[in-house]
Amino acid sequence: MDRKKQWEELERATGYIFQDPSLLERAMTHSSYINEHHMLKTDCNERLEFLGDAVLEIVTSEYLYFHYPTENEGRLTRLRASIVCEPTLDFCARAFDLQRFLILGRGEEATGGRSRASLISDALEALIGAIYLDGGFANAKEFIHRFILNDLEHKKLFFDSKTILQEMVQKEDGSGHLAYELIEESGPAHDRLFLVRVLFDGGEMGRGSGHTKKAAEQQAAYQAILCLRKKQGLDQTCI
């Protein structure tokens, strides 16, 4: 697929049409590509990522301020941190297959860069920066609300899962011990897959997998929460 068609496909996926497509191309260009092709350092997406990070933070802060009017500053700060962190942004970007559009150097491609959460989350922030420059704050805000701040309650349940699970088990049994155990590692060195289970007083509550131990633990905690909520009669499915 040529670049023009590639950007048109990404525009359809995001719902935003660029007046200056070069901004979109730069947002998708990783530093490994410009290094291999001896291009200018400013031709990669790092400056756009810097800008997009700031736009994302102000939009998220405003959203939380108005949607959680009774929460204090500390709680709002923790909520914002869980939304703008790498795993959340990676999760949001994969909803429209952003990783497919990354422009990577051959070395980065060969070592699994296209599936790396850090690269994908950085590219999402760069895309936000590019939309901000191309269409202004209102368009960037609309994009953030559509792809990052949507279905926030479910995302909070997943990305705060370890904290939420800890609070749930302490409420039921303050003396119990929660622990995470690595069961298995598989895959090549550059693309490891970890399988983890979460235990409460030695009894298994849930399992999860991920490309980092932290991600696998989050998934295991999330599955445990779903099972606990099912036992409590809430409308969740134990997976």
Side-chain angles (χ1 to χ4, degrees):
M1 181 186 298
D2 64 42
R3 287 278 166 80
K4 184 174 184 296
K5 289 183 178 179
Q6 185 177 4
W7 305 141
E8 289 173 352
E9 183 179 342
L10 181 52
E11 286 175 332
R12 285 194 297 272
T14 61
Y16 180 78
I17 308 300
F18 276 82
Q19 302 300 311
D20 180 3
S22 69
L23 282 169
L24 177 55
E25 181 163 341
R26 192 184 313 162
M28 295 298 102
T29 304
H30 187 252
S31 57
S32 61
Y33 181 87
I34 65 118
N35 289 337
E36 286 187 8
H37 290 79
H38 308 291
M39 298 163 66
L40 295 174
K41 181 69 173 174
T42 51
D43 288 333
C44 75
N45 64 7
E46 291 176 354
R47 283 169 52 84
L48 286 173
E49 176 199 340
F50 164 80
L51 179 60
D53 175 71
V55 176
L56 174 61
E57 185 156 316
I58 185 62
V59 171
T60 303
S61 298
E62 179 192 58
Y63 178 90
L64 294 175
Y65 181 86
F66 287 110
H67 281 74
Y68 297 92
T70 62
E71 298 287 3
N72 61 31
E73 182 268 347
R75 176 61 176 160
L76 292 174
T77 298
R78 289 191 294 274
L79 281 172
R80 184 180 62 195
S82 71
I83 294 167
V84 303
C85 69
E86 180 183 297
T88 306
L89 297 183
D90 173 53
F91 178 84
C92 295
R94 290 177 187 273
F96 57 96
D97 290 331
L98 183 64
Q99 68 277 8
R100 290 179 47 229
F101 302 95
L102 299 178
I103 302 175
L104 305 176
R106 285 174 305 215
E108 190 67 46
E109 186 80 70
T111 55
R114 195 169 299 277
S115 63
R116 194 165 294 134
S118 59
L119 269 67
I120 298 170
S121 61
D122 288 349
L124 180 57
E125 289 182 328
L127 179 58
I128 292 169
I131 293 173
Y132 172 78
L133 289 180
D134 189 76
F137 183 77
N139 280 299
K141 180 177 178 179
E142 181 180 348
F143 174 86
I144 292 167
H145 276 261
R146 180 179 178 187
F147 288 103
I148 299 174
L149 299 178
N150 65 320
D151 196 18
L152 195 56
E153 290 305 316
H154 179 268
K155 287 174 181 172
K156 278 170 51 188
L157 180 64
F158 181 77
F159 291 110
D160 284 344
S161 58
K162 291 181 70 175
T163 301
I164 293 170
L165 180 60
Q166 184 72 43
E167 292 172 351
M168 290 176 74
V169 297
Q170 284 182 343
K171 186 176 180 180
E172 288 194 6
D173 182 356
S175 63
H177 178 65
L178 199 64
Y180 294 86
E181 180 181 273
L182 179 64
I183 301 172
E184 181 181 298
E185 292 183 45
S186 59
H190 66 268
D191 192 24
R192 302 294 286 167
L193 186 66
F194 299 90
L195 179 63
V196 167
R197 64 176 180 169
V198 57
L199 306 168
F200 183 64
D201 282 347
E204 183 174 321
M205 299 181 71
R207 293 190 177 199
S209 61
H211 289 287
T212 66
K213 289 180 183 178
K214 182 178 179 181
E217 289 174 357
Q218 290 288 107
Q219 181 63 244
Y222 178 64
Q223 298 302 330
I225 290 169
L226 295 185
C227 288
L228 284 175
R229 287 170 66 89
K230 184 183 179 184
K231 290 176 182 177
Q232 293 169 356
L234 301 176
D235 56 340
Q236 297 287 340
T237 301
C238 182
I239 299 174

